Amino acid sequence: HSQSTLLSIFSLEYQKRTKKTISRHHAPDVIERHYQRYLSAAKAHPTAPVLLELANEVDLSPALMARVILDRYLQDPQGAVPSKPVLNSMLKEPSLIPDQTLAKHIYQCTINDCCYGPLVDCIKHAIGQEHEVLLCDRLKERNLSFLDENQLRAMGYDKTPDIILEVPIVVEGHIVHWIESKASFGDDQSHCTYLTEQFWSYCNRFGPGLVIYWYGFIGELDCKRDRGILLKECFPTDIVTLCHGARHEGPAPPGKITTTPTTTTAEEESS
């Protein structure tokens, strides 16, 4: 497996473990204990990465520890919690934090976390965008007409796949009306969530489709083909296009479009 695939699997497993343990770090007494330990360590060793070391010691994501400590720091004497926009803006730009020592420690946690935090969010978003562009390029190379997510939103659709094909294609004997790009590994938990929150609604609204997990997926998950969801780990090469009215004899039945499948060859694509 590629390094990207292994990193994606690690990230998914790390997040699963974090979800099981994060609640204990949000208990008020635990938050206060973490905060007082941080204050003592920062006072004794102001130049050391004490917040990062504390996160590693208690086995908590550095970025999530930074959020816990910053949230506690921003509370007023009456215990009122800060607004999320203020908290998020300071996590993204630590120079906004009045305490410059804390700002430095928050920054150290952010850049040393491989699974959580604003930096990781930006990287994940950029990788997702990169693979959506790659998908569009592959479709254009094969002269397939499509609408992307931005075009669909402009038309008034609220929840849409990344691509809607204006003329459906056939992949491995299955008709495909839409394509969803996932720049991650498809494990059972994430795939189940996507099915519930995205894929089934796409099927109900647009018909059967294709999901590309660019970093691979658990093979047993590709078991919904008969219900309209095909999984692949790369852009398919065995695409069959549908040519309207080709070699058709006689009128088509009312309401039906007659199509003839034709496989796109490498010579045809390059001509």
Side-chain angles (χ1 to χ4, degrees), residues 79-96:
V81 296
S83 67
K84 282 189 176 181
V86 170
L87 183 62
N88 290 335
S89 65
M90 289 185 176
L91 289 170
K92 291 178 181 178
E93 185 50 70
S95 62
L96 298 174

Side-chain angles (χ1 to χ4, degrees), residues 204-226:
N204 292 335
R205 192 167 192 176
F206 304 108
L210 165 67
V211 178
I212 301 178
Y213 283 109
W214 295 99
Y215 296 147
F217 58 89
I218 297 174
E220 289 80 2
L221 298 177
D222 190 19
C223 60
K224 309 293 185 184
R225 294 189 172 197
D226 58 335

Side-chain angles (χ1 to χ4, degrees), residues 19 22 32 34 61 70 72 97 102 108 114 122 135 173 189 198 226 244 251 258 266:
K19 289 177 181 177
I22 188 64
E32 191 62 30
H34 288 342
S61 152
L70 181 58
R72 172 61 183 83
I97 301 172
L102 176 59
Q108 289 170 342
C114 62
C122 288
L135 174 58
Q189 186 170 315
Q198 295 180 321
D226 58 335
H244 291 273
T258 301

Side-chain angles (χ1 to χ4, degrees), residues 194-209:
Y194 287 140
L195 282 171
T196 303
E197 297 181 356
Q198 295 180 321
F199 303 159
W200 290 133
S201 63
Y202 298 163
C203 278
N204 292 335
R205 192 167 192 176
F206 304 108

Side-chain angles (χ1 to χ4, degrees), residues 99-120:
D99 186 329
Q100 290 304 299
T101 300
L102 176 59
K104 178 181 67 177
H105 293 150
I106 295 292
Y107 175 73
Q108 289 170 342
C109 286
T110 298
I111 64 173
N112 284 283
D113 197 312
C114 62
C115 294
Y116 289 96
L119 179 59
V120 171

